[in-house]
PDB file of all heavy atoms in Angstrom:
ATOM      1  N   LYS S  29       0.004   0.454  -8.937  1.00  0.00           N
ATOM      2  CA  LYS S  29      -0.072   1.651  -8.018  1.00  0.00           C
ATOM      3  C   LYS S  29       1.172   1.823  -7.261  1.00  0.00           C
ATOM      4  O   LYS S  29       1.136   2.731  -6.297  1.00  0.00           O
ATOM      5  CB  LYS S  29      -1.230   1.405  -7.048  1.00  0.00           C
ATOM      6  CG  LYS S  29      -2.600   1.120  -7.628  1.00  0.00           C
ATOM      7  CD  LYS S  29      -3.158   2.352  -8.261  1.00  0.00           C
ATOM      8  CE  LYS S  29      -4.594   2.124  -8.751  1.00  0.00           C
ATOM      9  NZ  LYS S  29      -5.186   3.305  -9.426  1.00  0.00           N
ATOM     10  N   ALA S  30       2.303   1.264  -7.647  1.00  0.00           N
ATOM     11  CA  ALA S  30       3.559   1.372  -6.867  1.00  0.00           C
ATOM     12  C   ALA S  30       3.897   2.813  -6.679  1.00  0.00           C
ATOM     13  O   ALA S  30       4.463   3.138  -5.569  1.00  0.00           O
ATOM     14  CB  ALA S  30       4.679   0.619  -7.636  1.00  0.00           C
ATOM     15  N   HIS S  31       3.726   3.687  -7.614  1.00  0.00           N
ATOM     16  CA  HIS S  31       4.175   5.116  -7.448  1.00  0.00           C
ATOM     17  C   HIS S  31       2.996   6.015  -7.026  1.00  0.00           C
ATOM     18  O   HIS S  31       3.261   7.320  -6.990  1.00  0.00           O
ATOM     19  CB  HIS S  31       4.799   5.617  -8.804  1.00  0.00           C
ATOM     20  CG  HIS S  31       6.009   4.664  -9.156  1.00  0.00           C
ATOM     21  ND1 HIS S  31       7.180   4.622  -8.441  1.00  0.00           N
ATOM     22  CD2 HIS S  31       6.075   3.702 -10.148  1.00  0.00           C
ATOM     23  CE1 HIS S  31       7.941   3.680  -8.968  1.00  0.00           C
ATOM     24  NE2 HIS S  31       7.343   3.159  -9.981  1.00  0.00           N
ATOM     25  N   GLY S  32       1.829   5.456  -6.663  1.00  0.00           N
ATOM     26  CA  GLY S  32       0.808   6.332  -6.142  1.00  0.00           C
ATOM     27  C   GLY S  32       1.025   6.554  -4.649  1.00  0.00           C
ATOM     28  O   GLY S  32       1.631   5.744  -3.936  1.00  0.00           O
ATOM     29  N   TYR S  33       0.489   7.769  -4.267  1.00  0.00           N
ATOM     30  CA  TYR S  33       0.573   8.088  -2.833  1.00  0.00           C
ATOM     31  C   TYR S  33      -0.698   7.678  -2.089  1.00  0.00           C
ATOM     32  O   TYR S  33      -1.677   7.474  -2.744  1.00  0.00           O
ATOM     33  CB  TYR S  33       0.837   9.543  -2.664  1.00  0.00           C
ATOM     34  CG  TYR S  33       2.296   9.942  -3.008  1.00  0.00           C
ATOM     35  CD1 TYR S  33       2.565  10.096  -4.405  1.00  0.00           C
ATOM     36  CD2 TYR S  33       3.230  10.072  -2.050  1.00  0.00           C
ATOM     37  CE1 TYR S  33       3.912  10.416  -4.733  1.00  0.00           C
ATOM     38  CE2 TYR S  33       4.541  10.263  -2.456  1.00  0.00           C
ATOM     39  CZ  TYR S  33       4.890  10.543  -3.776  1.00  0.00           C
ATOM     40  OH  TYR S  33       6.157  10.709  -4.061  1.00  0.00           O
ATOM     41  N   PRO S  34      -0.623   7.389  -0.750  1.00  0.00           N
ATOM     42  CA  PRO S  34      -1.823   7.029  -0.053  1.00  0.00           C
ATOM     43  C   PRO S  34      -3.058   7.877  -0.406  1.00  0.00           C
ATOM     44  O   PRO S  34      -4.193   7.267  -0.537  1.00  0.00           O
ATOM     45  CB  PRO S  34      -1.436   7.238   1.409  1.00  0.00           C
ATOM     46  CG  PRO S  34       0.092   6.884   1.378  1.00  0.00           C
ATOM     47  CD  PRO S  34       0.520   7.486   0.129  1.00  0.00           C
ATOM     48  N   SER S  35      -2.985   9.183  -0.590  1.00  0.00           N
ATOM     49  CA  SER S  35      -4.106  10.007  -0.825  1.00  0.00           C
ATOM     50  C   SER S  35      -4.776   9.673  -2.197  1.00  0.00           C
ATOM     51  O   SER S  35      -5.882   9.970  -2.471  1.00  0.00           O
ATOM     52  CB  SER S  35      -3.774  11.442  -0.774  1.00  0.00           C
ATOM     53  OG  SER S  35      -2.815  11.752  -1.772  1.00  0.00           O
ATOM     54  N   GLN S  36      -4.011   8.996  -3.066  1.00  0.00           N
ATOM     55  CA  GLN S  36      -4.488   8.643  -4.383  1.00  0.00           C
ATOM     56  C   GLN S  36      -5.109   7.280  -4.438  1.00  0.00           C
ATOM     57  O   GLN S  36      -5.587   6.791  -5.495  1.00  0.00           O
ATOM     58  CB  GLN S  36      -3.422   8.732  -5.461  1.00  0.00           C
ATOM     59  CG  GLN S  36      -2.750  10.220  -5.447  1.00  0.00           C
ATOM     60  CD  GLN S  36      -1.435  10.248  -6.257  1.00  0.00           C
ATOM     61  OE1 GLN S  36      -0.572   9.313  -6.126  1.00  0.00           O
ATOM     62  NE2 GLN S  36      -1.278  11.170  -7.144  1.00  0.00           N
ATOM     63  N   LEU S  37      -5.050   6.569  -3.289  1.00  0.00           N
ATOM     64  CA  LEU S  37      -5.521   5.133  -3.220  1.00  0.00           C
ATOM     65  C   LEU S  37      -6.835   5.038  -2.454  1.00  0.00           C
ATOM     66  O   LEU S  37      -7.031   5.844  -1.522  1.00  0.00           O
ATOM     67  CB  LEU S  37      -4.473   4.292  -2.592  1.00  0.00           C
ATOM     68  CG  LEU S  37      -3.061   4.271  -3.200  1.00  0.00           C
ATOM     69  CD1 LEU S  37      -2.135   3.452  -2.311  1.00  0.00           C
ATOM     70  CD2 LEU S  37      -3.036   3.756  -4.556  1.00  0.00           C
ATOM     71  N   SER S  38      -7.654   4.109  -2.850  1.00  0.00           N
ATOM     72  CA  SER S  38      -8.870   3.824  -2.065  1.00  0.00           C
ATOM     73  C   SER S  38      -8.490   3.193  -0.676  1.00  0.00           C
ATOM     74  O   SER S  38      -7.330   2.761  -0.457  1.00  0.00           O
ATOM     75  CB  SER S  38      -9.746   2.823  -2.747  1.00  0.00           C
ATOM     76  OG  SER S  38      -9.145   1.548  -2.755  1.00  0.00           O
ATOM     77  N   GLY S  39      -9.390   3.117   0.273  1.00  0.00           N
ATOM     78  CA  GLY S  39      -9.121   2.525   1.571  1.00  0.00           C
ATOM     79  C   GLY S  39      -8.617   1.067   1.437  1.00  0.00           C
ATOM     80  O   GLY S  39      -7.715   0.661   1.998  1.00  0.00           O
ATOM     81  N   GLY S  40      -9.313   0.342   0.530  1.00  0.00           N
ATOM     82  CA  GLY S  40      -8.895  -1.054   0.322  1.00  0.00           C
ATOM     83  C   GLY S  40      -7.603  -1.187  -0.257  1.00  0.00           C
ATOM     84  O   GLY S  40      -6.792  -2.037   0.199  1.00  0.00           O
ATOM     85  N   GLN S  41      -7.136  -0.297  -1.093  1.00  0.00           N
ATOM     86  CA  GLN S  41      -5.824  -0.343  -1.726  1.00  0.00           C
ATOM     87  C   GLN S  41      -4.793   0.073  -0.623  1.00  0.00           C
ATOM     88  O   GLN S  41      -3.742  -0.543  -0.583  1.00  0.00           O
ATOM     89  CB  GLN S  41      -5.733   0.670  -2.877  1.00  0.00           C
ATOM     90  CG  GLN S  41      -6.532   0.175  -4.110  1.00  0.00           C
ATOM     91  CD  GLN S  41      -6.632   1.203  -5.230  1.00  0.00           C
ATOM     92  OE1 GLN S  41      -6.546   2.392  -4.947  1.00  0.00           O
ATOM     93  NE2 GLN S  41      -6.871   0.794  -6.437  1.00  0.00           N
ATOM     94  N   GLN S  42      -5.162   1.100   0.165  1.00  0.00           N
ATOM     95  CA  GLN S  42      -4.225   1.477   1.256  1.00  0.00           C
ATOM     96  C   GLN S  42      -3.989   0.269   2.209  1.00  0.00           C
ATOM     97  O   GLN S  42      -2.864  -0.016   2.635  1.00  0.00           O
ATOM     98  CB  GLN S  42      -4.775   2.606   2.067  1.00  0.00           C
ATOM     99  CG  GLN S  42      -4.718   3.956   1.210  1.00  0.00           C
ATOM    100  CD  GLN S  42      -5.181   5.083   2.061  1.00  0.00           C
ATOM    101  OE1 GLN S  42      -4.501   5.421   3.113  1.00  0.00           O
ATOM    102  NE2 GLN S  42      -6.242   5.799   1.743  1.00  0.00           N
ATOM    103  N   GLN S  43      -5.153  -0.429   2.512  1.00  0.00           N
ATOM    104  CA  GLN S  43      -4.907  -1.586   3.467  1.00  0.00           C
ATOM    105  C   GLN S  43      -4.099  -2.686   2.865  1.00  0.00           C
ATOM    106  O   GLN S  43      -3.287  -3.342   3.501  1.00  0.00           O
ATOM    107  CB  GLN S  43      -6.323  -2.037   3.902  1.00  0.00           C
ATOM    108  CG  GLN S  43      -6.288  -3.048   5.128  1.00  0.00           C
ATOM    109  CD  GLN S  43      -5.689  -2.451   6.354  1.00  0.00           C
ATOM    110  OE1 GLN S  43      -4.483  -2.104   6.358  1.00  0.00           O
ATOM    111  NE2 GLN S  43      -6.491  -2.264   7.406  1.00  0.00           N
ATOM    112  N   ARG S  44      -4.227  -2.878   1.504  1.00  0.00           N
ATOM    113  CA  ARG S  44      -3.448  -3.934   0.874  1.00  0.00           C
ATOM    114  C   ARG S  44      -1.989  -3.445   0.775  1.00  0.00           C
ATOM    115  O   ARG S  44      -1.080  -4.365   0.987  1.00  0.00           O
ATOM    116  CB  ARG S  44      -3.989  -4.151  -0.485  1.00  0.00           C
ATOM    117  CG  ARG S  44      -5.253  -4.988  -0.565  1.00  0.00           C
ATOM    118  CD  ARG S  44      -5.637  -5.468  -1.937  1.00  0.00           C
ATOM    119  NE  ARG S  44      -6.368  -4.375  -2.653  1.00  0.00           N
ATOM    120  CZ  ARG S  44      -6.331  -4.281  -3.969  1.00  0.00           C
ATOM    121  NH1 ARG S  44      -5.722  -5.146  -4.743  1.00  0.00           N
ATOM    122  NH2 ARG S  44      -7.009  -3.321  -4.570  1.00  0.00           N
ATOM    123  N   VAL S  45      -1.693  -2.191   0.674  1.00  0.00           N
ATOM    124  CA  VAL S  45      -0.273  -1.688   0.775  1.00  0.00           C
ATOM    125  C   VAL S  45       0.219  -1.985   2.205  1.00  0.00           C
ATOM    126  O   VAL S  45       1.405  -2.434   2.387  1.00  0.00           O
ATOM    127  CB  VAL S  45      -0.145  -0.226   0.482  1.00  0.00           C
ATOM    128  CG1 VAL S  45       1.222   0.357   0.734  1.00  0.00           C
ATOM    129  CG2 VAL S  45      -0.506   0.062  -1.001  1.00  0.00           C
ATOM    130  N   ALA S  46      -0.581  -1.758   3.236  1.00  0.00           N
ATOM    131  CA  ALA S  46      -0.196  -2.015   4.613  1.00  0.00           C
ATOM    132  C   ALA S  46       0.153  -3.471   4.813  1.00  0.00           C
ATOM    133  O   ALA S  46       1.099  -3.850   5.482  1.00  0.00           O
ATOM    134  CB  ALA S  46      -1.268  -1.574   5.528  1.00  0.00           C
ATOM    135  N   ILE S  47      -0.639  -4.419   4.180  1.00  0.00           N
ATOM    136  CA  ILE S  47      -0.352  -5.821   4.267  1.00  0.00           C
ATOM    137  C   ILE S  47       0.974  -6.155   3.466  1.00  0.00           C
ATOM    138  O   ILE S  47       1.783  -6.843   4.054  1.00  0.00           O
ATOM    139  CB  ILE S  47      -1.519  -6.663   3.606  1.00  0.00           C
ATOM    140  CG1 ILE S  47      -2.776  -6.499   4.456  1.00  0.00           C
ATOM    141  CG2 ILE S  47      -1.106  -8.127   3.491  1.00  0.00           C
ATOM    142  CD1 ILE S  47      -4.095  -7.122   3.850  1.00  0.00           C
ATOM    143  N   ALA S  48       1.224  -5.540   2.360  1.00  0.00           N
ATOM    144  CA  ALA S  48       2.441  -5.757   1.584  1.00  0.00           C
ATOM    145  C   ALA S  48       3.640  -5.224   2.472  1.00  0.00           C
ATOM    146  O   ALA S  48       4.727  -5.863   2.507  1.00  0.00           O
ATOM    147  CB  ALA S  48       2.435  -5.010   0.300  1.00  0.00           C
ATOM    148  N   ARG S  49       3.447  -4.092   3.095  1.00  0.00           N
ATOM    149  CA  ARG S  49       4.473  -3.565   3.989  1.00  0.00           C
ATOM    150  C   ARG S  49       4.870  -4.497   5.100  1.00  0.00           C
ATOM    151  O   ARG S  49       6.053  -4.778   5.400  1.00  0.00           O
ATOM    152  CB  ARG S  49       4.074  -2.235   4.554  1.00  0.00           C
ATOM    153  CG  ARG S  49       5.084  -1.547   5.457  1.00  0.00           C
ATOM    154  CD  ARG S  49       4.629  -0.188   5.928  1.00  0.00           C
ATOM    155  NE  ARG S  49       3.426  -0.340   6.821  1.00  0.00           N
ATOM    156  CZ  ARG S  49       2.793   0.712   7.278  1.00  0.00           C
ATOM    157  NH1 ARG S  49       3.294   1.905   7.078  1.00  0.00           N
ATOM    158  NH2 ARG S  49       1.720   0.522   8.041  1.00  0.00           N
ATOM    159  N   ALA S  50       3.823  -5.104   5.698  1.00  0.00           N
ATOM    160  CA  ALA S  50       4.099  -6.083   6.801  1.00  0.00           C
ATOM    161  C   ALA S  50       4.827  -7.356   6.257  1.00  0.00           C
ATOM    162  O   ALA S  50       5.742  -7.917   6.839  1.00  0.00           O
ATOM    163  CB  ALA S  50       2.824  -6.433   7.536  1.00  0.00           C
ATOM    164  N   LEU S  51       4.366  -7.828   5.059  1.00  0.00           N
ATOM    165  CA  LEU S  51       4.960  -9.026   4.454  1.00  0.00           C
ATOM    166  C   LEU S  51       6.353  -8.830   4.030  1.00  0.00           C
ATOM    167  O   LEU S  51       7.209  -9.704   4.006  1.00  0.00           O
ATOM    168  CB  LEU S  51       4.123  -9.480   3.318  1.00  0.00           C
ATOM    169  CG  LEU S  51       2.739 -10.001   3.546  1.00  0.00           C
ATOM    170  CD1 LEU S  51       1.993 -10.262   2.235  1.00  0.00           C
ATOM    171  CD2 LEU S  51       2.807 -11.307   4.319  1.00  0.00           C
ATOM    172  N   ALA S  52       6.723  -7.601   3.652  1.00  0.00           N
ATOM    173  CA  ALA S  52       8.048  -7.286   3.187  1.00  0.00           C
ATOM    174  C   ALA S  52       9.165  -7.560   4.218  1.00  0.00           C
ATOM    175  O   ALA S  52      10.279  -7.774   3.883  1.00  0.00           O
ATOM    176  CB  ALA S  52       8.141  -5.807   2.675  1.00  0.00           C
ATOM    177  N   MET S  53       8.709  -7.595   5.481  1.00  0.00           N
ATOM    178  CA  MET S  53       9.722  -7.913   6.568  1.00  0.00           C
ATOM    179  C   MET S  53       9.907  -9.397   6.726  1.00  0.00           C
ATOM    180  O   MET S  53      10.606  -9.880   7.534  1.00  0.00           O
ATOM    181  CB  MET S  53       9.210  -7.339   7.872  1.00  0.00           C
ATOM    182  CG  MET S  53       9.155  -5.792   7.897  1.00  0.00           C
ATOM    183  SD  MET S  53      10.862  -5.087   7.757  1.00  0.00           S
ATOM    184  CE  MET S  53      11.594  -5.489   9.341  1.00  0.00           C
ATOM    185  N   GLU S  54       9.104 -10.143   5.948  1.00  0.00           N
ATOM    186  CA  GLU S  54       9.178 -11.610   5.882  1.00  0.00           C
ATOM    187  C   GLU S  54       8.898 -12.188   7.369  1.00  0.00           C
ATOM    188  O   GLU S  54       9.795 -12.935   7.846  1.00  0.00           O
ATOM    189  CB  GLU S  54      10.426 -12.135   5.214  1.00  0.00           C
ATOM    190  CG  GLU S  54      10.550 -11.768   3.813  1.00  0.00           C
ATOM    191  CD  GLU S  54      11.842 -12.104   3.139  1.00  0.00           C
ATOM    192  OE1 GLU S  54      12.781 -12.312   3.726  1.00  0.00           O
ATOM    193  OE2 GLU S  54      11.728 -12.164   1.861  1.00  0.00           O
TER     194      GLU S  54
END
């Protein structure tokens, strides 16, 4: 789903992207 936009993702997928975003800052 790397190239999907938030509106194309389910709530659970959006929250997992949010977790990945936080983790990317290590």
